[in-house]
Amino acid sequence: MNEFINDITTLNGEPGTRDDVIAVLKGDAAAVPDFHWELKDLLFDGLPSGRLLGEHWRSG
């Protein structure tokens, strides 16, 4: 995950860390074993901040 998520990020609109994001994802996977995401749209702003936004569909 180090190559995909910055050390400091935004998680559900609040400041967070990579470890926070990983904990949320692990919690989701543990609660819903057949959980999966389907990416619908992906936007990269091209700025040095490197913001990446995605619209997704969750199921499980």
Side-chain angles (χ1 to χ4, degrees):
M1 295 297 266
N2 294 349
E3 62 190 274
F4 300 112
I5 302 173
N6 285 337
D7 294 337
I8 303 298
T9 189
T10 303
L11 178 61
N12 297 325
E14 299 292 329
T17 66
R18 178 188 308 120
D19 290 339
D20 295 333
V21 174
I22 292 169
V24 168
L25 293 173
K26 284 182 177 181
D28 290 345
V32 185
D34 62 346
F35 182 85
H36 74 276
W37 294 36
E38 179 182 333
L39 186 62
K40 298 290 187 181
D41 296 298
L42 186 64
L43 174 68
F44 179 69
D45 68 10
L47 298 174
S49 63
R51 291 184 298 177
L52 186 64
L53 307 169
E55 179 184 358
H56 60 275
W57 177 259
R58 296 178 296 171
S59 64

